Amino acid sequence: MEYLRLSKIHQGRLNKGDELISTLIVLLKEKNIQLGSIYGLGAVSSAKLGYFNASTKKYEERFFDENMEIISLGGNISLKDGDIFPHIHVVFSRKDFSVVGGHLLSPTVVYAFEFVIHEYSGKPFVRQFDGDTGLYLWK
Ligand code: ZN
């Protein structure tokens, strides 16, 4: 475990119609945020979620073509293959008040999205493939 220092807090929003992850990556690259955490609220017009099946060590993906509210969105920011990589999990609520959640994937289209990014100072964490889990974990 490492103790990190909070360097900056960025607060903002994305626009209706933005693809959430790719737009976020552009923003992270513009600000050169390589190490941090993200929290967000809002709504989406559609979303793709992943579920990591530990038996097959593969992600199962599902696309939800519906308006859903972002009840909770949290993630971390580190490096994977030399690129800034946000790892984001989310819980959505649906029209019938049921919830779905998982690992957030593209394409996910923003209806409204407000976020807070905590940027940390220090050496970025780097992801590498872990054969034991089949996941890209921090070194
Ligand atoms: Zn995940």
Side-chain angles (χ1 to χ4, degrees):
M1 190 159 81
E2 292 189 37
Y3 293 93
L4 304 169
R5 277 189 197 287
L6 181 62
S7 161
K8 287 179 192 155
I9 300 174
H10 307 260
Q11 183 163 280
R13 72 176 181 92
L14 300 186
N15 295 315
K16 186 170 182 272
D18 284 345
E19 198 290 306
L20 198 150
I21 293 176
S22 57
T23 307
L24 193 63
I25 289 172
V26 167
L27 195 141
L28 294 171
K29 286 184 174 172
E30 273 174 14
K31 304 279 180 195
N32 196 31
I33 302 169
Q34 301 187 358
L35 181 62
S37 55
I38 179 164
Y39 308 92
L41 295 173
V44 296
S45 309
S46 61
K48 194 184 210 182
L49 295 175
Y51 167 79
F52 186 74
N53 184 327
S55 303
T56 59
K57 294 187 177 175
K58 287 201 163 85
Y59 277 96
E60 294 170 15
E61 299 179 354
R62 192 181 294 184
F63 183 70
F64 296 85
D65 193 11
E66 61 189 79
N67 290 299
M68 298 184 287
E69 197 160 355
I70 302 170
I71 302 306
S72 178
L73 178 149
N76 56 52
I77 299 152
S78 56
L79 297 180
K80 182 181 169 192
D81 301 325
D83 272 333
I84 294 172
F85 178 77
H87 180 197
I88 296 173
H89 286 189
V90 68
V91 179
F92 294 118
S93 71
R94 309 169 95 174
K95 192 171 183 294
D96 66 359
F97 288 85
S98 64
V99 295
V100 290
H103 178 103
L104 190 65
L105 296 167
S106 293
T108 289
V109 178
V110 168
Y111 185 82
F113 183 59
E114 298 170 343
F115 62 83
V116 179
I117 295 169
H118 289 178
E119 181 181 357
Y120 308 128
S121 59
K123 199 163 167 273
F125 282 27
V126 174
R127 291 188 178 279
Q128 68 177 15
F129 186 74
D130 174 66
D132 201 27
T133 59
L135 293 165
Y136 283 82
L137 300 176
W138 288 333
K139 266 199 243 180

